[in-house]
Amino acid sequence: MVSPVDGTLLRFGEMKNKKLGPIKGMEYSLEEQFLYPFFKNWNQDDFRLFYGVFYLAPGDYHHIHSPMDFNLAQRCHFKGDLFPVVPWFSKLAPSLFTRNERVVLEGVWEGGRACIVPVGALNVGSIKLAFEPELETSRWTTFALDFESRHMTKKFSGGKQFQKGQELGEFKLGSTVVVVFQVPN
């Protein structure tokens, strides 16, 4: 496994109690909005969960690459806010990563299930996917406050294979990428 970006690794570790974090002072439940609806279907009995959080500063290379050989099963675009992701702002915006716009790429790698999650931020919400150029993020839109109507899922029949290091997409400026993955016990 390799880093998906050239940014700063803010946090890496094993998840405890299905919580991601603390990241920038906040913990996130995987069963709630961060990886919903994907995580609820993962076999958790025979696996341990790990995560990495990578921050991209404005001067970093803004392309996102597959951190592992990965078979993409589905993509989910969550419309949302575009709050800054700099560490000091997270204290002002509770649940920042579940409120900000993001794209969840969920699939399988040699260790089990995995998600690669580009998270948008203020002035840098534009996430472009190399394999799906028609996806438009950070578009002004009116959306309902209920969670179910804020996400759009696309399934890839038979999966879409990516090699470790292959480009997945890019930000139009810096932001954050979260990687969550299973490892067999």
Side-chain angles (χ1 to χ4, degrees), residues 9 17 25 41 43 48 67 73 75 80 101 114 120 122 132 148 166 182:
L9 177 62
N17 301 318
N41 298 321
N43 170 0
R48 294 166 46 206
R75 179 269 304 147
E101 184 163 17
L122 181 68
E132 192 180 352
E148 292 296 326
Q166 185 175 346
Q182 291 181 317

Side-chain angles (χ1 to χ4, degrees), residues 1-2 16-17 24-25 32 34 57 61 72 83 85 91 105 112 117 120 136 141 145 166 174 178-179:
M1 186 174 295
V2 298
K16 303 294 182 193
N17 301 318
K24 299 181 181 181
E32 293 173 5
F34 188 71
Y61 170 76
L72 176 64
F83 291 119
V85 295
K91 293 179 175 108
L105 305 174
V117 188
E136 294 184 352
T141 184
L145 294 178
Q166 185 175 346
V178 178
V179 179

Side-chain angles (χ1 to χ4, degrees), residues 18 23 110 181:
K18 302 174 191 169
I23 303 169
E110 68 181 63
F181 57 97

Side-chain angles (χ1 to χ4, degrees), residues 41-104:
N41 298 321
W42 288 18
N43 170 0
Q44 299 166 37
D45 297 332
D46 302 322
F47 296 91
R48 294 166 46 206
L49 283 172
F50 289 85
Y51 70 99
V53 180
F54 303 85
Y55 170 71
L56 288 153
D60 291 333
Y61 170 76
H62 295 97
H63 292 252
I64 306 158
H65 297 267
S66 183
M68 73 279 275
D69 290 339
F70 181 69
N71 189 19
L72 176 64
Q74 54 189 335
R75 179 269 304 147
C76 190
H77 171 215
F78 291 88
K79 297 177 188 177
D81 296 313
L82 292 171
F83 291 119
V85 295
V86 292
W88 65 266
F89 189 82
S90 65
K91 293 179 175 108
L92 302 175
S95 302
L96 179 67
F97 287 145
T98 60
R99 294 174 63 183
N100 271 13
E101 184 163 17
R102 63 200 177 279
V103 175
V104 177

